[in-house]
Amino acid sequence: KANRGLRTQEMYQRIVEKHLTELDEVYLKDITKSLIQEHINTKSEHPRLCEQIKLTISQILESAVDDGLILKNCCKNIELPRKKPSDKRALLPEEKAAIKSAVLLPREKAMLYILYGCGLRPAEAWALTKGDIDLEKREISVNKSITFIDNIPFVVNPKTNSGIRTVQAPRCTIEALEEYLK
């Protein structure tokens, strides 16, 4: 998967090195649906990890099918543990009021209002430059992101074209940006 993003490549590498070691001594022809299901079941308290394990094993087996090493991918009907619903929620009125009344440095206020007012992801906001901000049109151009490799930040392109967009910024965000950019 050399054509995938760095994070995706790291995920595959991590899964192979840390979570598939139990299969190191199993011959490819001896891998069964039951063996994979049992392996996933041992990690059922981590639903996302189970998804990644299944994805990685499936990719490996699909390559083996393509190479004629096995006849079918026995990973297709593996059952994954159910995900727990996330704890995300809308801000409460008192939390919104706290944002507006917080005493912040201009830089902190600009970042907070970009996140709060425009709905950008933190990595998208960190990658913004002055050229991405049009104060007159009240627009922010989102066209890159930041990723960290060994705690070193790198600017990367969005995963998909839909990640490239122009966002209308509310007045409070523009005011915070004007103050910061001075």
Side-chain angles (χ1 to χ4, degrees):
K1 297 293 179 181
N3 60 343
R4 297 294 193 263
L6 292 172
R7 289 284 182 220
T8 302
Q9 290 179 34
E10 287 175 357
M11 181 272 297
Y12 281 125
Q13 191 73 31
R14 185 182 66 254
I15 295 298
V16 169
E17 290 176 357
K18 297 189 189 252
H19 300 287
L20 297 184
T21 55
E22 293 90 349
L23 302 176
D24 282 352
E25 303 300 320
V26 180
Y27 288 106
L28 189 57
K29 66 179 180 63
D30 295 331
I31 294 177
T32 63
K33 177 186 175 201
S34 300
L35 182 67
I36 296 167
Q37 187 69 62
E38 182 182 325
H39 183 65
I40 286 179
N41 290 348
T42 64
K43 302 183 184 320
S44 63
E45 67 278 1
H46 304 288
R48 179 64 183 139
L49 174 62
C50 291
E51 284 179 354
Q52 292 172 335
I53 289 170
K54 179 184 175 187
L55 177 66
T56 304
I57 293 173
S58 185
Q59 295 287 332
I60 292 167
L61 294 177
E62 205 57 46
S63 291
V65 170
D66 290 346
D67 289 342
L69 300 174
I70 56 176
L71 295 176
K72 67 176 189 160
N73 181 347
C74 60
C75 202
K76 297 227 188 237
N77 295 314
I78 296 295
E79 291 186 28
L80 294 172
R82 294 195 189 277
K83 288 185 182 177
K84 297 174 183 92
S86 69
D87 293 337
K88 293 179 184 176
R89 61 171 177 76
L91 292 176
L92 299 173
E94 53 268 19
E95 292 169 328
K96 291 178 185 178
I99 287 174
K100 293 175 181 167
S101 65
V103 179
L104 302 167
L105 296 173
R107 178 175 147 182
E108 297 165 337
K109 188 173 184 178
M111 178 60 77
L112 178 63
Y113 277 72
I114 288 170
L115 297 172
Y116 170 69
C118 300
L120 270 61
R121 296 175 183 91
E124 293 172 331
W126 296 331
L128 291 175
T129 61
K130 283 184 181 181
D132 297 323
I133 299 166
D134 187 332
L135 296 173
E136 288 182 22
K137 290 183 180 177
R138 292 179 32 188
E139 293 178 343
I140 296 177
S141 177
V142 182
N143 52 42
K144 57 194 166 295
S145 185
I146 296 286
T147 190
F148 290 88
I149 302 171
D150 296 327
N151 284 334
I152 299 169
F154 290 91
V155 176
V156 294
N157 293 325
K159 288 182 181 181
T160 65
N161 286 339
S162 61
I164 299 172
R165 61 200 187 280
T166 301
V167 179
Q168 278 300 129
R171 185 174 315 285
C172 62
T173 302
I174 294 301
E175 291 169 359
L177 283 167
E178 286 173 336
E179 183 181 348
Y180 173 61
L181 292 174
K182 286 179 190 174

